[in-house]
Amino acid sequence: MAVDLLLGLQWGDEGKGKIVDVLTKNYDIIARFQGGPNAGHTLEFDGIKHVLHTIPSGIFHDNTINLVGNGVVIDPVIFRKELESLSKYGIDLKKNLVVSRKAHLILPTHRLLDAASEASKGKAKIGSTLKGIGPTYMDKTGRNGIRVGDLEMKDWKKKYRALANKHVSMIDFYHSEIEFDLSELETEFFEALEILQSYTFIDSEEFLHQAQKEGKTILAEGAQGSLLDIDFGTYPYVTSSNTTAAGACTGLGVSPSRINEVFGIFKAYTTRVGSGPFPTELFDSYGETMGRVGNEFGATTGRPRRCGWLDLVALKYAVQINGVTQLMMMKGDVLSGFDKLKVCTSYKYKGKVIEHLPYNIEEENVTPIYTEMKGWKDDLTTMTDASQIPQTLNDYISFLEKELEVPIKIVSVGPDRTQTIHR
Ligand code: GDP
Ligand code: IMO
Ligand code: MG
């Protein structure tokens, strides 16, 4: 059986958690392929809101295996907190959650290094979530990292100590003001590791290979968004992993020839949290309304998200890079009542009109050119069927489908599982 793939097309927080939860009934396995606790994936049902960071968003379904893939970086302390917050829901976590031996561990000193590095950058800081993501992936590619599978080896603590000592001298190098008590952090870390070690570690590429042979259905869950991709995002204001479709192959050990559907998720407008260019960003009452009505605050850090109009130049780029086969449009309900909507369809770039994303999208180089559309007045949040979608929203959807050349199969009209229209 082939593997389907779901990923974000903007700067993250598109609503991946909600849609993975909605789709999980169709899958035997949900597999996270990259990122770590910088992600915050929100799911809502039965009046309860859940936020997941490392654990895949299929965890609330009894008969689904949730796999944390080799491409993910795991902070045992945050993993433990996630497990604790799930403990009251009667989920058989020991049966339904498995972890790749090849996933890398975020150490307490990775978090400290993240903070020291960001502090040293001053105004040029990335706006990292400070979860230690960058330093952990640096140790992975630098071939110094500690992997989940190392915990099964006798001498891993020696390796840990050498790496942690090196990190401490690197923190000194930054001359940072950050204060820390490493022994306290390590106590918490080692306690959390014991909990992590009570879960099943697997050779996940083999597990997924066998599952495919047995005809099991698999959905790969992405984190962050395509514009935060280490290669194709707005570098250096990006995360440290491949968030795009190729990341699912390396992050799970699945061949490109086995990928079937690529579900691309986007908001009906755009948000970004952290630093970096954002051509369609709004600083007026439209942006303020998007933030307020859309409750645009980071699920991991609580920071307000920057808001702006939909950017089709950037979205087309993401659709192309990922080979998206189906689109899902989220949060159309947030735009209800807007007297007008704008969609950026090209950029004025160094005096010329262009329709592709150029190397540099800093404010001084790029002016967005907009197509203006009519807004919809109707409250969408109670709608459950495509026949109820108002004409103005259908016009908006048709316009996007024509521009992007991919069908929009799901329109989400609220945070709850049930507020989902299939087209
Ligand atoms: P993720 O990181 O892609 O999983 O997205 P987040 O969970 O960080 O952010 C999406 C936010 O929007 C969450 O608070 C969701 O509950 C919420 N959400 C998802 N879909 C919709 C929608 O269609 N309408 C509204 N109003 N909220 C939504
Ligand atoms: P989900 O999966 C939105 C952003 C940070 C920062 C940059 C680098 O919930 O969509 P990092 O901590 O990786 O060093 O931060 O990336 N960022 C996200 N923004 N959603 C996310 O994840 C993000 N994960 C990281 O704000 O700008
Ligand atoms: Mg999020």
Side-chain angles (χ1 to χ4, degrees):
M1 214 50 196
V3 178
D4 292 338
L5 167 53
L6 180 142
L7 40 76
L9 298 178
Q10 296 162 316
W11 279 290
D13 303 329
E14 296 88 351
K16 299 174 290 293
K18 165 177 167 163
I19 295 297
V20 170
D21 173 59
V22 167
L23 297 180
T24 295
K25 60 180 186 306
N26 306 329
Y27 294 95
D28 299 309
I29 300 168
I30 306 294
R32 247 296 280 281
F33 62 85
Q34 45 66 237
N38 49 350
H41 293 181
T42 314
L43 291 70
E44 243 181 88
F45 55 89
D46 300 339
I48 305 174
K49 179 169 152 174
H50 308 272
V51 182
L52 297 167
H53 302 286
T54 326
I55 295 174
S57 304
I59 199 66
F60 292 97
H61 296 251
D62 275 348
N63 299 315
T64 307
I65 298 291
N66 286 263
L67 163 68
V68 181
N70 59 278
V72 177
V73 290
I74 303 173
D75 184 335
V77 176
I78 294 177
F79 188 74
R80 176 191 188 167
K81 286 193 187 130
E82 286 185 74
L83 294 169
E84 282 167 2
S85 69
L86 291 174
S87 62
K88 52 181 173 292
Y89 300 107
I91 303 164
D92 191 348
L93 291 164
K94 289 278 159 70
K95 174 171 131 287
N96 287 351
L97 183 60
V98 293
V99 180
S100 170
R101 287 199 172 87
K102 293 194 172 81
H104 279 245
L105 290 176
I106 302 176
L107 312 184
T109 43
H110 281 133
R111 267 186 277 137
L112 297 172
L113 272 174
D114 213 357
S117 160
E118 279 284 79
S120 76
K121 287 189 162 141
K123 270 194 175 158
K125 71 173 186 195
I126 309 293
S128 163
T129 61
L130 303 179
K131 302 295 175 194
I133 305 297
T136 306
Y137 279 114
M138 279 164 73
D139 271 337
K140 174 179 178 174
T141 51
R143 295 154 296 176
N144 297 313
I146 296 183
R147 301 191 288 179
V148 165
D150 291 340
L151 303 176
E152 295 169 331
M153 313 279 179
K154 267 205 279 317
D155 66 342
W156 80 270
K157 280 205 175 147
K158 235 165 79 189
K159 199 170 155 191
Y160 168 85
R161 183 53 54 209
L163 189 57
N165 286 346
K166 182 172 119 184
H167 289 161
V168 170
S169 50
M170 287 164 74
I171 293 163
D172 286 346
F173 161 84
Y174 282 115
H175 302 296
S176 94
E177 308 276 293
I178 56 164
E179 285 180 20
F180 58 90
D181 177 342
L182 187 54
S183 70
E184 205 175 284
L185 294 173
E186 285 185 335
T187 304
E188 180 188 48
F189 176 72
F190 286 116
E191 277 173 14
L193 269 185
E194 281 184 30
I195 307 284
L196 175 64
Q197 282 173 289
S198 68
Y199 283 79
T200 307
F201 299 163
I202 58 168
D203 295 334
S204 52
E205 61 284 13
E206 170 63 12
F207 175 86
L208 289 173
H209 182 70
Q210 288 305 332
Q212 286 173 75
K213 272 175 98 173
E214 289 162 21
K216 299 242 165 81
T217 47
I218 302 166
L219 177 67
E221 174 179 0
Q224 289 79 56
S226 302
L227 301 174
L228 290 171
D229 182 276
I230 183 72
D231 283 282
F232 298 105
T234 46
Y235 192 88
Y237 301 101
V238 293
T239 191
S240 299
S241 63
N242 281 117
T243 59
T244 44
C249 297
T250 55
L252 293 173
V254 167
S255 158
S257 67
R258 292 279 172 268
I259 305 284
N260 183 32
E261 297 289 347
V262 180
F263 304 122
I265 302 209
F266 68 100
K267 282 178 190 168
Y269 48 98
T270 310
T271 64
R272 170 162 209 174
V273 61
S275 328
F278 180 177
T280 62
E281 183 168 10
L282 290 167
F283 301 95
D284 59 10
S285 64
Y286 290 102
E288 186 275 323
T289 307
M290 287 169 188
R292 182 171 36 79
V293 180
N295 194 25
E296 295 295 358
F297 295 92
T300 295
T301 58
R303 291 178 292 176
R305 297 176 183 144
R306 301 153 64 191
C307 297
W309 298 118
L310 188 63
D311 183 343
L312 277 184
V313 178
L315 202 52
K316 263 185 207 169
Y317 171 82
V319 165
Q320 278 164 20
I321 281 178
N322 292 301
V324 172
T325 60
Q326 295 188 27
L327 287 162
M328 287 148 188
M329 187 177 91
M330 314 299 287
K331 299 193 111 164
D333 55 296
V334 173
L335 300 180
S336 286
F338 275 51
D339 58 343
K340 63 170 184 202
L341 299 174
K342 287 190 183 185
V343 177
C344 166
T345 43
S346 54
Y347 292 157
K348 187 147 190 213
Y349 177 72
K350 297 185 178 169
K352 280 197 189 140
V353 175
I354 59 165
E355 287 180 6
H356 71 276
L357 202 73
Y359 181 74
N360 194 334
I361 60 163
E362 299 294 338
E363 206 179 328
E364 59 273 23
N365 289 306
V366 161
T367 312
I369 301 175
Y370 292 105
T371 296
E372 202 170 298
M373 307 200 52
K374 263 197 189 148
W376 44 91
K377 300 263 172 298
D378 320 58
D379 173 12
L380 309 180
T381 57
T382 53
M383 296 182 182
T384 50
D385 191 87
S387 63
Q388 297 167 297
I389 296 179
Q391 189 55 44
T392 36
L393 174 53
N394 267 329
D395 292 345
Y396 191 76
I397 292 170
S398 302
F399 179 74
L400 302 186
E401 286 182 324
K402 194 161 154 272
E403 290 282 322
L404 298 167
E405 300 178 73
V406 181
I408 297 178
K409 292 293 221 181
I410 285 182
V411 177
S412 171
V413 291
D416 193 87
R417 228 185 225 174
T418 55
Q419 293 172 302
T420 309
I421 301 177
H422 296 264
R423 294 174 80 238

